[in-house]
Amino acid sequence: MNSVVTVENLSKRYRIGALRAQYSTLRESLSGAVRAPFQRRAGATENTLWALKGINFQVEQGEVIGVIGNNGAGKSTLLKVLSRITEPTTGRVALRGRVGSLLEVGTGFHPELSGRDNIYLNGAILGMPRAEVRRKFDEIVAFAEVAKFIDTPVKFYSTGMYLRLAFAVAAHLEPEILIVDEVLAVGDVQFQKKCLGKIGDVAREGRTVLFVSHNLAAVLSLCTRALLLHRGEIVANGATETVVSGYLKQASESLAEQVWDDAETAPGNDQVRLHRARLRTDGGAEAGELNIRTPFLLEFVFWNLLAEAKLNLTVQLYNEQGTLVFASASLHEPKWHGRGFPTGLFQSRCHVPGDLLNEGRHRVELLVVRDEGTLVYRHEDILVFDVHDAPEMRGGWHGGWPGVVRPNLCWETELLGQ
């Protein structure tokens, strides 16, 4: 076997709430004040995050490997370590050959330099002779469709232009190993197809590709093998069809209710333990199928085990892309907020109005906080549910509806004159 990538016992730890500079801008101060309640809670008891834990795998020359998993699974961190952008905390990575990577729009570009200069700069970074870059230059510019602006500093490029040139450079300068992240999702549909076609060409030339994407159809068509990551660990490594099938089966399971009857073994600790989490209609009945117009409840029942603890709950709702849709805390709950809780069984409900969420899968993370600043307990994916479209809200539009929320806002139109 001819391994060009070898990863052994790879782990990466990040520190949460790392020290920041002493001075900040007004914008940073204001945005920091908004984020502060959640940052203080998270940083109080958990100041490290293991983005990768004990990763082991090998990639042979000419393989096209798909890396899939939910947002936050560790995919991008893995590629950054492989690209030598960040160092692993433990373990080792051995790479044989030049590595070209596209992890963010314009990776390796200098904004003050022109497109022409950045092409040659990236070639130099890859260790390519100037003559070799010159041989590929016209092909790169033609692929990126930026000939008119090739001598303009790239800081003036639109996001689409930046992306096209960045991918063209990464794919055409003939690295032995090409690493591509989900950044391709930024481009328009036509450009995505063009990039996927180029990745296929690179693979057929016998070069090695590691490809992170949520586009499972692209993974199935391009990749000979797939890795499935979950919370920093490889949970599946094998034939693409088998791994993707397992991932889809796992992702299709909704979780509208969880019950833990035994207070001794329920999730939690010596301060609080969970008894029940469930999704209900706004009237308290079983939720069934939700659409974008349906109001509903997120209901949590828990044992407080510490007398006079002043508790509040925070829910953080994420969509299927892993984007935080909203966070809400019981800071204005009228009966118990600010009061010491006696030991006992409590119920808290969060009312979510209709005409707020967009369609798709949503995941709920629950945080139990004491004294408005100390994180007592965190439970990821405590509820998982789907929100379906309401056809009557679409009008004549049949495409995907953009945005993390889908509010039904009031509009008024009037004739001002003729």
Side-chain angles (χ1 to χ4, degrees):
M1 302 293 281
N2 189 15
S3 298
V4 295
V5 178
T6 302
V7 177
E8 296 178 350
N9 298 316
L10 178 67
S11 297
K12 178 62 181 179
R13 179 184 63 197
Y14 289 106
R15 296 192 179 276
I16 302 174
L19 291 176
R20 302 179 60 190
Q22 183 177 357
Y23 301 101
S24 60
T25 65
L26 176 60
R27 177 183 293 180
E28 290 171 339
S29 299
L30 291 174
S31 61
V34 174
R35 297 192 302 265
F38 307 106
Q39 290 177 332
R40 285 198 299 271
R41 293 168 197 163
T45 58
E46 299 180 10
N47 60 358
T48 60
L49 169 69
W50 287 94
L52 299 173
K53 294 180 286 187
I55 299 290
N56 292 277
F57 67 92
Q58 290 185 327
V59 182
E60 308 305 320
Q61 182 175 351
E63 278 195 290
V64 183
I65 305 297
V67 184
I68 62 176
N70 294 329
N71 286 84
K75 305 184 299 297
S76 294
T77 299
L78 174 61
L79 297 196
K80 286 179 180 178
V81 173
L82 294 177
S83 300
R84 306 255 168 94
I85 293 173
T86 186
E87 292 290 327
T89 304
T90 61
R92 64 182 289 268
V93 173
L95 303 171
R96 296 179 55 211
R98 292 188 309 222
V99 178
S101 61
L102 184 60
L103 307 186
E104 296 175 355
V105 176
T107 300
F109 277 17
H110 192 296
E112 300 294 337
L113 298 180
S114 68
R116 182 186 303 274
D117 293 336
N118 272 294
I119 292 174
Y120 283 100
L121 174 63
N122 273 257
I125 291 172
L126 286 172
M128 299 180 68
R130 188 175 180 85
E132 188 175 350
V133 178
R134 188 182 300 114
R135 182 171 57 85
K136 288 285 186 178
F137 184 86
D138 290 341
E139 189 177 346
I140 292 170
V141 174
F143 186 95
E145 300 172 3
V146 294
K148 185 177 179 180
F149 307 99
I150 195 62
D151 291 309
T152 301
V154 297
K155 67 180 180 180
F156 297 118
Y157 283 19
S158 68
T159 300
M161 293 164 62
Y162 221 115
L163 175 64
R164 292 198 301 271
L165 185 58
F167 180 83
V169 169
H172 286 80
L173 291 186
E174 299 186 349
E176 282 84 10
I177 303 168
L178 178 63
I179 298 176
V180 184
D181 202 349
E182 189 61 62
V183 67
L184 295 186
V186 177
D188 57 52
V189 173
Q190 183 178 0
F191 180 65
Q192 288 180 39
K193 290 180 179 178
K194 192 174 181 179
C195 290
L196 293 174
K198 184 60 182 177
I199 292 174
D201 293 342
V202 169
R204 284 187 288 274
E205 292 168 4
R207 287 181 275 161
T208 303
V209 181
L210 282 91
F211 179 50
V212 162
S213 181
H214 290 286
N215 183 343
L216 298 181
V219 172
L220 285 167
S221 65
L222 290 173
C223 301
T224 54
R225 181 159 59 99
L227 306 178
L228 174 59
L229 268 64
H230 180 67
R231 295 182 180 177
E233 300 180 80
I234 294 179
V235 295
N237 179 357
T240 306
E241 294 81 0
T242 303
V243 174
V244 169
S245 176
Y247 175 54
L248 289 173
K249 182 178 179 181
Q250 168 195 340
S252 67
E253 298 173 356
S254 61
L255 193 61
E257 182 171 4
Q258 293 199 77
V259 179
W260 302 275
D261 289 323
D262 187 351
E264 297 294 323
T265 60
N269 49 42
D270 58 356
Q271 299 182 58
V272 65
R273 291 195 180 273
L274 302 181
H275 173 46
R276 184 175 66 232
R278 65 181 181 179
L279 185 72
R280 285 291 184 262
T281 67
D282 206 27
E286 191 171 315
E289 187 173 290
L290 300 178
N291 68 37
I292 61 173
R293 309 215 67 188
T294 309
F296 60 92
L297 298 171
L298 300 173
E299 181 182 280
F300 307 99
V301 180
F302 58 96
W303 286 283
N304 175 47
L305 306 177
L306 186 63
E308 295 305 309
K310 296 180 180 180
L311 300 179
N312 64 75
L313 303 188
T314 296
V315 293
Q316 297 187 161
L317 184 76
Y318 295 86
N319 66 10
E320 58 192 10
Q321 286 77 41
T323 302
L324 179 63
V325 177
F326 68 74
S328 180
S330 58
L331 297 175
H332 301 289
E333 192 278 327
K335 294 182 180 179
W336 283 99
H337 177 66
R339 296 175 55 189
F341 283 41
T343 57
L345 191 65
F346 285 81
Q347 175 178 278
S348 286
R349 285 176 160 183
C350 176
H351 296 256
V352 182
D355 292 317
L356 173 65
L357 301 181
N358 207 344
E359 62 179 320
R361 172 142 297 190
H362 292 76
R363 300 175 181 273
V364 179
E365 181 178 46
L366 176 69
L367 295 82
V368 182
V369 180
R370 189 184 74 244
D371 300 329
E372 300 188 11
T374 301
L375 179 65
V376 174
Y377 179 68
R378 177 196 300 267
H379 196 109
E380 296 180 352
D381 294 350
I382 192 168
L383 295 171
V384 181
F385 61 93
D386 292 304
V387 177
H388 299 280
D389 200 1
E392 69 274 13
M393 299 300 295
R394 284 188 156 267
W397 174 250
H398 300 287
W401 203 280
V404 295
V405 293
R406 183 114 164 245
N408 183 22
L409 305 178
C410 293
W411 283 72
E412 294 179 353
T413 302
E414 57 183 311
L415 176 64
L416 298 180
Q418 286 183 310

